[in-house]
């Protein structure tokens, strides 16, 4: 629980994206969307629009109640 709180307060997008994926993996899609949206806001502030597009794809998965899984190499 403390790790979750620390990650949510983080300004590190990668940490937030990882937390969102972990929430989705255990079917907590509401939390996945919440955390991924926070990461998206940080990316927008930083002007990292390519990463915003990638995160939008993950948000679509979470809103469809599907986890994100990194594609195999």
């Amino acid at each position: 629980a403390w790790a979750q709180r620390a990650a949510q307060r983080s300004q590190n997008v990668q940490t937030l994206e990882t937390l969102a994926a972990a929430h989705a993996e255990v079917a907590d899609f509401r939390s996945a969307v919440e955390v991924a949206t926070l990461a998206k806001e940080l990316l927008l502030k930083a002007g990292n629009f390519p990463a915003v597009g990638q995160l939008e794809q993950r948000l679509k998965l979470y809103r469809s109640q599907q986890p994100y899984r990194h594609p195999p190499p």
Side-chain angles (χ1 to χ4, degrees), residues 6-62:
Q8 286 179 324
R9 291 184 185 133
S10 172
Q11 297 293 305
N12 183 301
V13 172
Q14 188 174 22
T15 300
L16 293 170
E17 288 183 80
T18 300
L19 179 59
H23 279 302
E25 190 63 36
V26 296
D28 184 1
F29 298 105
R30 183 186 58 77
S31 294
V33 169
E34 181 181 304
V35 173
T37 300
L38 177 57
K40 179 182 169 185
E41 290 171 6
L42 292 172
L43 289 170
L44 287 169
K45 282 183 187 177
N48 190 342
F49 301 110
V52 170
Q54 292 173 349
L55 189 54
E56 275 294 333
Q57 295 302 311
R58 293 181 195 160
L59 274 164
K60 286 180 187 177
L61 286 173
Y62 303 154

